[in-house]
Amino acid sequence: MSQSAQPKFAIQSVVPDLPEPADYLPWLERMHQSGYYSNFGPLCREFSHRMLGEFGSDAEECVPCGSATAGLSAALVACKVERPVLIPAFTFPATLSAVRAAGLEAIVMDVASDDWVPHPDQVDEALTMSGAGAIILVAPFGIRFDFSVHIDVCRRHGAIIIIDCAAGMGVPRVNFCEAADLFEVFSLHATKPFGVGEGGLVFCHSSRRDAVQSALNFALSSYQSEAGPHWGFNGKISEMHIAVALAQLERYRGVIARRQLFAKACFAMLTQFSTLVTPAQDSIAPWQIFPVAMPSERAADLFVENAGSEGMEIRRYYRPSLSRWPRVRLVGACPISEDLAARMVALPVRGSATAVEAQPILDRLSSSLRYTLNRIE
């Protein structure tokens, strides 16, 4: 490796944890023998079936796709949504990109300060004011969230509901898509705990599977039918990525378990800092990163700077708030999302580290946080 290719940080924020090539080589050989390399081939169908058995319900289907962003767009296209789509301001910009890629207008709303998602009353008011035909509810940082009350509110308005749980694949689900108006989408990007390189998953009611697949394949399978979408795009995932996914399926439990142990150690380490805001102690997640809201934007800036000087990469999520992005329509001011985006930092989590290997990272995080907070007092 050349000197210019060396990592900038000794401790990177996110490190991909994918199977060894030898583990997915047998799947690649099966792919080659079948002659299918894309277009929902045999490996894709097998992975879909196995993921449905692992994480789904009897009423659902699981549709692999090229990315979570493509999956969000496909759900909107499959449902022939024509009115605007509500999205939270506190999310990754891919949520906004997916709405625009589906040819729709996004309307941005604020979130609540306690759990970082819109309160059901906010959703009710926003749907009334905007007349939106769909809403994307985001589970921040892949932390499992029961949206049952939100879903009931949306159904009273007749809105399609899409749950964006991009970083949440790997833990049991609670928002099963047992009706045709509900979808849940996950990312399989290389940086995710269940990473395959590039990819995503759409869980949907069984009656929606063909329409979602059609939307991901230029609407070719339904262009003569009123039942399917009238247009689509190329959002398919290749059989090569599915080969990696099938190998990852065999090892993900150990990866997630180690990440959860690391997160548990983060919770314990952070108890010494009373001014930091963290997820609830009983949060269930695969923990791509560990989110922490610093007491101020200045504290977040100083922490990132100090950690970087010690060779540790700290990223900022979800910054800036979508309410600050250009050409975005708001349903109202978004002060909470903007404040969270200014203060949120992402601590690194490792799924490959033993307890002994994890401790130096935790010690360095603790030292950097203590130094930062002492400076701003």
Side-chain angles (χ1 to χ4, degrees), residues 86-276:
L86 273 176
I87 62 174
F90 190 61
T91 182
F92 193 68
T95 310
L96 173 60
S97 299
V99 176
R100 288 180 169 172
L104 298 168
E105 179 187 24
I107 302 179
V108 174
M109 65 181 298
D110 206 4
V111 299
S113 59
D114 55 349
D115 52 22
W116 308 339
V117 304
H119 189 274
D121 289 343
Q122 290 177 278
V123 172
D124 191 16
E125 182 179 6
L127 285 170
T128 300
M129 293 175 61
S130 67
I135 183 170
I136 298 179
L137 297 167
V138 175
F141 310 107
I143 298 171
R144 193 173 73 177
F145 193 93
D146 186 351
F147 284 108
S148 297
V149 178
H150 299 73
I151 291 168
D152 289 341
V153 170
C154 295
R155 283 177 173 155
R156 291 202 299 269
H157 288 267
I160 295 294
I161 309 126
I162 304 171
I163 297 171
D164 179 350
C165 193
M169 178 47 59
V171 299
R173 295 170 56 229
V174 293
N175 302 290
F176 293 111
C177 305
E178 297 183 334
D181 60 354
L182 180 61
F183 300 78
E184 188 167 24
V185 180
F186 298 88
S187 174
L188 303 179
H189 186 266
T191 59
K192 298 296 185 285
F194 196 116
V196 309
E198 283 285 4
L201 294 171
V202 179
F203 283 84
C204 61
H205 187 260
S206 299
S207 64
R208 294 288 195 184
R209 183 198 64 179
D210 291 349
V212 171
Q213 285 191 342
S214 179
L216 293 165
N217 190 28
F218 308 103
L220 289 178
S221 63
S222 67
Y223 72 98
Q224 293 178 325
S225 170
E226 288 297 318
H230 296 297
W231 68 282
F233 56 93
N234 185 5
K236 303 184 297 295
I237 187 170
S238 75
E239 293 282 272
M240 287 177 277
H241 284 99
I242 292 291
V244 181
L246 285 161
Q248 187 72 294
L249 183 58
E250 301 297 329
R251 65 189 289 274
Y252 85 91
R253 291 186 184 87
V255 174
I256 301 301
R258 289 188 292 273
R259 299 187 82 88
Q260 290 178 328
L261 284 174
F262 195 104
K264 183 177 180 180
C266 281
F267 276 117
M269 180 270 291
L270 292 168
T271 57
Q272 63 186 299
F273 305 111
S274 60
T275 60
L276 303 182

